[in-house]
């Protein structure tokens, strides 16, 4: 490996890391103002966005209002949403969706009108969907098409960001890895759009690329991570041996699917008046309770009472995928249990995607604008990616246009990359995933979280101080960092709020309205509580 002063360097006006809905929406804006590089770890489509099923929530139906979408989002957030962020989401959302339709997005219709479905904790039918249950794929298709026609936007596939370049408190790009080559990519403004961190859990709906890289890179660079204890577990992921935790959309319950325990009993009404359509955290905990009570590893999602043709037409991807795993959703109740799905916390930003590091912006699931509070309302995150990807891009343009000139460092000094045996990497990855699942999962307590810390901290000590260039090891280092920060935040929040539920502090006790902020001090992760909104 050559010293880094000799490696290839390139310059772009704007660097976007990640090609999901947030990164691509930003690229469309930025590409009109300068050169843009979209660096993405895998194929451009490989992202959570691509697999999003249920739909995108937007107040566009005749029976809906922006104010009602606002109220539902605030209610789901359990008192911790930033009201300004939510107001922006719901009021700018319709414009972003109409624009997407004008670019060619084909959402499902009933006759000549858009079809809206119902999902948990929504008081109106407001969720648009495409090809039944492939909403994310349709959005990704349209955005990629649009970006492909923009001359100044370069898509760098299979290009992984290793670390941000920060000099004198200003972000000046990122260190990228393409194959075995390390590249210094200098940029006037950098946007993190790397999505969430689901892969740090043993059971997750998230694709393989979602390993918390953006959060870990930002933390290493000195950015604030906010409210990381709030992890959303989706109630219904397929449960079967040697089968991935494939998502069975909440929209299925919206269309009448019933949750039953292994004795065939419908149980949700015993836990919440909204039954199957109660908020996600309540449904996930109810399922765990039933699993414990009946000593089973799963419950069932039952659609067998619904019209077979309707189910096949409305959920074609889910129907066909389950069939591949030998489950016919029209003929038999499907074994399901919760899985890590979304993280409400992330890199702290203002409502314009600005982080505490000059030149660094963040949007989508990696960011925390406060829009989701302690619990996300279903189908609000595709909308978040569109609205805040757009806003972060606008802010980055303003920043670049108002700055006098940009000086890029000539040399970046990095340590020689360290090596670790790959078999060991896989072993440690599984250990982290299992620990997070068992000890920092749907239901937590001080004892379980302390045990998780005992397990994770030595790994953090071992990996955080070294520089790696093997993608698997880089991912492991990022996963360990994010696992540590989630657990530390959960340990410090001695309350149960939204998706964070502790059996030793079951209530909202004094100071529950504080937000958690984790910062790096002398190489250590340190928790700060603050009155920040
Ligand atoms: P992603 O779409 O996750 O994109 C992240 C990008 O960053 C990817 O391109 C990835 O490869 C890249 N990346 C990551 N690390 C690096 C790195 N180090 N270097 C370079 N590139 C990197 N939300 C809804 O609103 N409605 C739904 O119906 C819905 N269904 C869902 C179903 C599933 C199965 C899943 C997993 C999520 C679902 N969600 C849904 C949530 C929603 O899809 C995500 O929150 C949203 O798409 C995130 O968009 P994003 O642009 O922030 O990130
Ligand atoms: C789903 O289709 O159930 C996922 C919706 C979401 O996560 O917003």
């Amino acid at each position: 490996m050559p010293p880094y002063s000799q490696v290839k360097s390139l310059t772009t006006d704007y660097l976007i890391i990640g090609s999901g809905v947030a990164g691509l929406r930003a690229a469309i804006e930025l590409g009109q103002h300068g050169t843009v590089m979209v660096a993405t770890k895998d194929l451009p489509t490989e992202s959570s966005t691509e697999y999003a099923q249920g739909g995108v929530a937007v107040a566009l139906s005749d029976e809906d209002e922006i104010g009602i979408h606002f109220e539902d989002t605030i209610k789901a957030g359990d008192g911790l949403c930033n009201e300004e962020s939510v107001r922006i989401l719901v009021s700018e959302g319709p414009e972003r969706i109409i624009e997407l339709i004008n670019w060619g997005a084909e959402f499902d219709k009933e006759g000549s009108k858009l079809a809206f479905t119902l999902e948990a904790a929504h008081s109106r039918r407001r969720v648009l969907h495409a090809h039944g249950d492939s909403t994310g794929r349709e959005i990704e298709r349209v955005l990629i098409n649009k970006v492909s026609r923009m001359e100044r936007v370069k898509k760098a596939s299979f290009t992984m960001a290793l670390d941000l370049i920060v000099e004198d408190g200003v972000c000046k790009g990122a260190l990228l890895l393409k194959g075995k080559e390390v590249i210094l990519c200098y940029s006037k403004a950098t946007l993190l759009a790397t999505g969430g961190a689901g892969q740090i859990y043993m059971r997750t709906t998230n694709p393989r690329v979602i390993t918390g890289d953006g959060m870990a890179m930002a933390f290493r660079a000195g950015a604030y991570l906010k409210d990381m204890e709030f992890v959303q577990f989706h109630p219904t992921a397929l449960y079967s041996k040697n089968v991935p935790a494939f998502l069975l959309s909440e929209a299925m319950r919206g269309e009448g699917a019933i949750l039953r325990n292994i004795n065939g009993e419908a149980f949700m009404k015993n836990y919440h008046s909204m039954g199957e359509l109660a908020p996600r955290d309540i449904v996930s905990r109810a399922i765990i309770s039933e699993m414990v009570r009946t000593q089973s590893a799963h419950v069932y999602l039952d659609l067998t009472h619904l019209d077979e043709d309707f189910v096949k037409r409305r959920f074609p991807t889910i129907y066909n995928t389950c069939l591949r795993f030998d489950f016919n959703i029209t003929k038999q109740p499907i074994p399901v249990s919760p899985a890590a799905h979304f993280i409400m916390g992330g890199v702290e930003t203002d409502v314009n995607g600005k982080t505490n590091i000059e030149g660094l912006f963040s949007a989508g699931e990696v960011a925390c604008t406060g829009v989701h509070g302690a619990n996300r309302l279903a189908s609000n995150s595709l909308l978040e990616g569109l609205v805040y990807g757009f806003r972060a891009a606008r802010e980055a343009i303003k920043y670049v246009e108002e700055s006098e000139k940009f000086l890029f460092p000539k040399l970046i000094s990095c340590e020689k990359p360290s090596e670790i045996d790959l078999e060991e990497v896989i072993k440690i990855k599984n250990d982290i995933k299992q620990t997070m699942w068992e000890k920092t999962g749907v239901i937590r307590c001080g004892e379980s979280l302390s045990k998780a810390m005992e397990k994770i901290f030595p790994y953090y000590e071992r990996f955080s101080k070294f520089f790696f260039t093997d993608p698997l090891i880089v991912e492991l280092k990022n996963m360990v960092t994010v696992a540590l920060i989630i657990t530390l935040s959960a340990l410090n929040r001695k309350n149960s709020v939204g998706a964070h539920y502790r059996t030793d502090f079951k209530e909202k006790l004094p100071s529950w309205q504080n937000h958690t902020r984790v910062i790096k001090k002398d190489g250590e992760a340190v928790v700060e509580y603050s009155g920040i909104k």
Side-chain angles (χ1 to χ4, degrees), residues 17-23 39-57 119 135 140 159-162 193-196 205-207 209-211 213-214 217 247 249 341-342 363-366 376 378-385 478:
I17 308 174
S19 59
V21 58
T40 194
K41 228 177 176 178
D42 202 286
L43 287 168
T45 47
E46 198 53 23
S47 58
S48 290
T49 302
E50 177 74 5
Y51 300 101
Q53 294 180 353
V56 50
E119 285 187 357
T135 315
E140 193 75 10
T159 303
M160 180 183 191
L162 300 175
T194 48
T205 61
N206 289 190
V209 289
I210 303 301
T211 48
D213 298 358
M217 283 190 281
L247 183 74
S249 174
H341 183 61
F342 183 87
E365 194 171 335
V366 64
R376 177 181 62 111
S379 288
N380 260 355
S381 46
L382 291 173
L383 195 69
E384 176 190 23
N478 293 337

Side-chain angles (χ1 to χ4, degrees), residues 170 188-189 358-359 361 395-403 406:
V170 181
K188 296 176 180 171
E358 197 183 320
F361 301 81
E395 191 65 17
I397 293 162
K398 201 166 115 211
Y399 166 73
V400 168
E401 287 178 353
E402 285 174 1
S403 304
F406 291 87

Side-chain angles (χ1 to χ4, degrees), residues 320-528:
N320 286 312
T321 308
C322 287
L323 213 52
R324 274 212 325 268
F325 297 122
D326 286 335
F327 293 106
N328 184 338
I329 62 171
T330 66
K331 300 266 189 268
Q332 63 190 119
I334 307 303
V336 293
S337 79
H341 183 61
F342 183 87
I343 180 157
M344 274 66 76
V347 180
E348 186 178 323
T349 70
D350 68 4
V351 293
N352 297 312
K354 251 164 74 171
T355 71
N356 60 307
I357 298 179
E358 197 183 320
L360 180 66
F361 301 81
S362 172
E365 194 171 335
V366 64
C368 181
T369 60
V371 84
H372 305 299
N375 203 3
R376 177 181 62 111
L377 185 67
S379 288
N380 260 355
S381 46
L382 291 173
L383 195 69
E384 176 190 23
L386 292 170
V387 168
Y388 283 96
F390 170 85
R391 288 181 74 89
R394 284 290 170 99
E395 191 65 17
I397 293 162
K398 201 166 115 211
Y399 166 73
V400 168
E401 287 178 353
E402 285 174 1
S403 304
E404 300 251 302
K405 62 176 177 187
F406 291 87
L407 292 175
F408 294 125
K410 283 213 178 60
L411 298 175
I412 298 276
S413 58
C414 290
E415 291 171 48
K416 192 171 166 292
S418 306
E419 302 288 334
I420 300 179
D421 171 48
L422 280 188
E423 245 176 62
E424 204 191 344
V425 170
I426 292 165
K427 225 175 100 210
I428 299 173
K429 246 185 203 178
N430 283 335
D431 198 17
I432 294 287
K433 285 159 85 82
Q434 193 65 40
T435 301
M436 288 301 285
W437 182 247
E438 286 171 3
K439 311 266 188 274
T440 313
V442 182
I443 297 175
R444 304 132 180 216
C445 67
E447 196 187 337
S448 74
L449 293 166
S450 301
K451 284 194 173 141
M453 280 303 277
E454 277 168 31
K455 184 73 108 177
I456 299 162
F457 189 69
Y459 290 138
Y460 176 74
E461 288 277 273
R462 180 168 167 197
F463 292 104
S464 63
K465 300 188 176 77
F466 298 101
F467 178 67
F468 301 97
T469 53
D470 183 301
L472 286 180
I473 311 177
V474 177
E475 282 183 352
L476 174 61
K477 171 170 140 177
N478 293 337
M479 288 166 72
V480 166
T481 305
V482 175
L484 180 99
I485 293 171
I486 292 176
T487 306
L488 187 64
S489 305
L491 199 52
N492 275 272
R493 183 175 286 282
K494 295 184 173 59
N495 267 299
S496 285
V497 188
H500 171 71
Y501 183 80
R502 281 184 60 158
T503 52
D504 48 350
F505 296 100
K506 290 184 182 163
E507 311 295 329
K508 282 180 171 172
L509 297 168
S511 79
W512 68 271
Q513 277 171 309
N514 282 349
H515 291 270
T516 317
R517 179 190 268 167
V518 176
I519 57 173
K520 199 173 116 187
K521 271 192 186 153
D522 304 325
E524 300 296 328
V526 176
V527 171
E528 273 188 355

Side-chain angles (χ1 to χ4, degrees), residues 140-157:
E140 193 75 10
R141 178 189 72 79
V142 170
L143 294 176
I144 287 183
N145 253 342
K146 180 96 181 150
V147 165
S148 304
R149 291 197 296 269
M150 300 185 77
E151 271 178 19
R152 291 196 285 180
V153 181
K154 181 177 170 352
K155 286 202 299 282
S157 313

